[in-house]
Amino acid sequence: MRVLGVDPGLTRCGVGVVEGVAGRPLTMLGVGVVRTPVDADLSHRLLAVEQGIERWLDEHRPEYVAVERVFSQHNVRTVMGTAQASAVAMLCAARRGIPVALHTPSEVKAAVTGSGRADKAQVGAMVTRLLRLDAPPKPADAADALALAICHIWRAPAQNRLQQAVALHTARASTTKGRTS
């Protein structure tokens, strides 16, 4: 499974590609940050994020895109920019028919470190260890993007089994209901 992780942001949008399957060593295929100038018009910043993500999709051809789920913050301006960058990433994936998964920051931290309350340094250290890197990716947005991809690779099999079970249960329930009507 090849996953592009996206840590959305307007100034720095972290991107990282990881390949592998749950239970096996993972491989980092690329990591970086799509940057936009703070003083640029919002529409131009979003366009730059879109162009950057499109380049990553072209180069790495992921099977899935994992995006950090935007959560409420006290700074509405920051959350709006993050949400807009997140939407751009989802749009780029959808345009290509690539499935998108959203993971909360605490889900990612728990998957990678074992604690949903881990700090950025702990996430960076575990990403370095799990991907057998010489040093943590910089800036932290890049490490977070890799952590998102790792989280998705590890969680996807369980999520798929759960979705299949729900679909089977729903199908059986509608078949049973149809016979009793």
Side-chain angles (χ1 to χ4, degrees):
M1 174 184 310
R2 182 177 292 190
V3 179
L4 171 66
V6 179
D7 181 36
L10 271 181
T11 304
R12 288 182 320 272
C13 182
V15 287
V17 181
V18 177
E19 190 169 64
V21 295
R24 299 277 173 106
L26 303 172
T27 304
M28 180 189 77
L29 301 179
V31 65
V33 177
V34 176
R35 297 178 188 273
T36 69
V38 178
D39 59 348
D41 180 66
L42 174 62
S43 60
H44 290 101
R45 294 180 80 186
L46 292 171
L47 180 61
V49 170
E50 187 255 354
Q51 291 169 340
I53 291 172
E54 288 290 347
R55 280 192 298 274
W56 279 82
L57 293 170
D58 285 342
E59 182 177 344
H60 295 284
R61 306 254 182 241
E63 299 165 79
Y64 299 91
V65 174
V67 181
E68 183 174 276
R69 183 182 300 273
V70 178
F71 61 98
S72 178
Q73 295 175 331
H74 298 294
N75 186 341
V76 174
R77 188 171 180 204
T78 301
V79 99
M80 287 299 295
T82 303
Q84 290 164 332
S86 176
V88 167
M90 290 187 280
L91 174 70
C92 290
R95 185 184 295 137
R96 294 169 182 246
I98 302 171
V100 175
L102 299 174
H103 300 285
T104 66
S106 58
E107 287 172 344
V108 174
K109 291 173 185 179
V112 174
T113 70
S115 169
R117 296 178 175 262
D119 62 24
K120 292 232 181 239
Q122 290 170 307
V123 171
M126 285 306 296
V127 165
T128 302
R129 188 177 196 183
L130 292 168
L131 297 175
R132 300 168 313 282
L133 305 175
D134 294 332
K138 300 283 184 193
D141 309 274
D144 289 349
L146 291 171
L148 275 152
I150 293 167
C151 173
H152 186 72
I153 289 169
W154 287 353
R155 292 177 56 113
Q159 288 174 331
N160 290 342
R161 285 192 300 274
L162 181 60
Q163 288 171 347
Q164 289 170 352
V166 168
L168 181 61
H169 175 74
T170 303
R172 285 182 179 163
S174 72
T175 302
T176 304
K177 184 177 178 183
R179 278 191 247 155
T180 60
S181 298

